[in-house]
Amino acid sequence: MTTASLLRTAMALGAVGLLVLTGCNGGAAPVGGAAPSAPLSLLDRAPVASEAEIAASPTAAAIRERGQLLIGGELDLPLMSQRNPITGETVGFDATLGKLLAKYLIGEPNLKVVRSISETREAVLQTGTVDAVISTYTITPERARKISFAGPYLVSGQAIATLSTENRISTPADLAGKKVVAVSGTTSVDAIKRSAPGVQLTTFGAATECIQALEAGSAVAYVHDMTLLAGTAQLNDKIQIVSEPFTDESYGIGIRHGDESFKEFVNDWLVKIQQSGLWGENWTETLGQVVPGDPPKPPPIGSVPGS
């Protein structure tokens, strides 16, 4: 089953509670011995590139020398990349991928997330502000003319969200002539224009602005990627997902255009975390909180045009 088809099942979920697993022995140490040590975390078990692997990529070597990975990403996308206002830590599927890549490059998950919205992702790569972008970045041939993509690492698709009081919309065709919001610079814009001719589309620079417009009644629907809508609906009971994904889109890791050695380095790392099970564990700890069942099979590296 593909990632996109698994994500479709998230629509059938109501409010999804997070399960907290607790031990049954109350934390008591076994008689005659020390308490068992805590299991190693996903990051503790993550691989580190060898000196030879680092030397094969000038970009990787520069990052290891610097001691910090600079990642372009979002800070307000539940389940994907969201900053905890108390701890300052960025968590979610994409955020964890960034930490895993930093561990592979440097030996520890030392990274800085530079906020990069959809409209600025190409620019921060082209100017060298960041080393890579991991931010629900759909691979397209047009984008691949400006930057390079490693991956893909996840497949999702566009879907429709409305207020929970709305019951007249269930397909893109239902949006024709209606006021709809989307994030500017995303593939959502072209997808909804193709699927709902005559739609009255307004775009905003961030997902939070789209949600605010929907809640204010400025639009009847919000079109975005299912992975992002699933996180929004989990945290906001005013929002519901009303359609299945009506596109299939593959996420890639953006890097500077033409940096083939670093692209190969990142692709080799993706294969390692997939084969070791770390990719699946990341899914379970993030998107798996709202999507039932086992983790999907990761998409094959280089399997879409532009990758």
Side-chain angles (χ1 to χ4, degrees), residues 46-251:
V48 177
S50 67
E51 291 295 335
E53 289 168 322
I54 291 290
S57 166
T59 299
I63 295 169
R64 178 167 285 190
E65 177 68 22
R66 185 199 306 145
Q68 184 181 57
L69 174 65
L70 303 176
I71 287 287
E74 290 274 15
L75 303 175
D76 58 359
L77 300 180
L79 302 179
M80 296 302 290
S81 185
Q82 184 174 40
R83 177 158 292 172
N84 185 313
I86 298 175
T87 66
E89 182 182 8
T90 306
V91 297
F93 188 86
D94 280 353
T96 300
L97 279 183
K99 295 172 187 176
L100 289 168
L101 180 56
K103 172 77 179 291
Y104 190 65
L105 280 157
I106 301 164
E108 58 183 354
N110 186 15
L111 79 164
K112 178 181 179 181
V113 178
V114 178
R115 185 171 184 266
S116 307
I117 62 175
S118 300
E119 293 176 313
T120 63
R121 291 180 295 199
E122 280 89 15
V124 295
L125 284 169
Q126 291 168 338
T127 59
T129 304
V130 300
D131 302 307
V133 171
I134 305 179
S135 184
T136 61
Y137 205 174
T138 302
I139 301 171
T140 69
E142 180 182 8
R143 288 173 173 171
R145 287 193 286 270
K146 301 175 184 177
I147 57 104
S148 294
F149 283 104
Y153 66 88
L154 185 66
V155 178
S156 187
Q158 301 295 321
I160 303 168
T162 68
L163 293 179
S164 56
T165 53
E166 173 63 57
N167 57 16
R168 298 166 297 172
I169 295 171
S170 60
T171 69
D174 297 329
L175 299 178
K178 295 184 173 63
K179 294 181 179 179
V180 178
V181 291
V183 178
S184 56
T186 66
T187 53
S188 308
V189 175
D190 288 338
I192 195 57
K193 286 180 178 178
R194 288 194 305 268
S195 302
V199 67
Q200 299 180 49
L201 184 64
T202 300
T203 60
F204 294 94
T208 50
E209 296 175 278
C210 291
I211 296 298
Q212 290 167 1
L214 191 61
E215 292 182 335
S218 302
V220 297
Y222 166 37
V223 175
H224 210 335
D225 190 277
M226 174 63 91
T227 56
L228 306 180
L229 293 183
T232 298
Q234 181 202 29
L235 299 177
N236 188 338
D237 59 8
K238 296 179 182 179
I239 305 298
Q240 63 178 350
I241 300 172
V242 296
S243 80
E244 295 188 352
F246 56 91
T247 64
D248 285 320
E249 302 188 24
S250 299
Y251 295 162

Side-chain angles (χ1 to χ4, degrees), residues 2-37:
T2 65
T3 306
S5 62
L6 274 172
L7 287 167
R8 293 186 179 98
T9 63
M11 296 179 296
L13 300 179
V16 180
L18 302 183
L19 298 178
V20 180
L21 302 179
T22 58
C24 299
N25 62 0
V31 176
S37 58

Side-chain angles (χ1 to χ4, degrees), residues 244-307:
E244 295 188 352
F246 56 91
T247 64
D248 285 320
E249 302 188 24
S250 299
Y251 295 162
I253 296 175
I255 61 175
R256 280 186 289 279
H257 191 266
D259 193 344
E260 291 301 316
S261 62
F262 191 50
K263 176 178 176 177
E264 183 177 353
F265 178 91
V266 175
N267 279 337
D268 288 345
W269 161 75
L270 279 171
V271 171
K272 287 183 180 182
I273 65 167
Q274 290 172 1
Q275 293 178 345
S276 67
L278 294 174
W279 187 98
E281 289 183 46
N282 184 18
W283 168 278
T284 299
E285 293 178 3
T286 55
L287 291 165
Q289 294 178 12
V290 298
V291 181
D294 295 331
K297 184 178 180 180
I301 302 299
S303 58
V304 296
S307 64

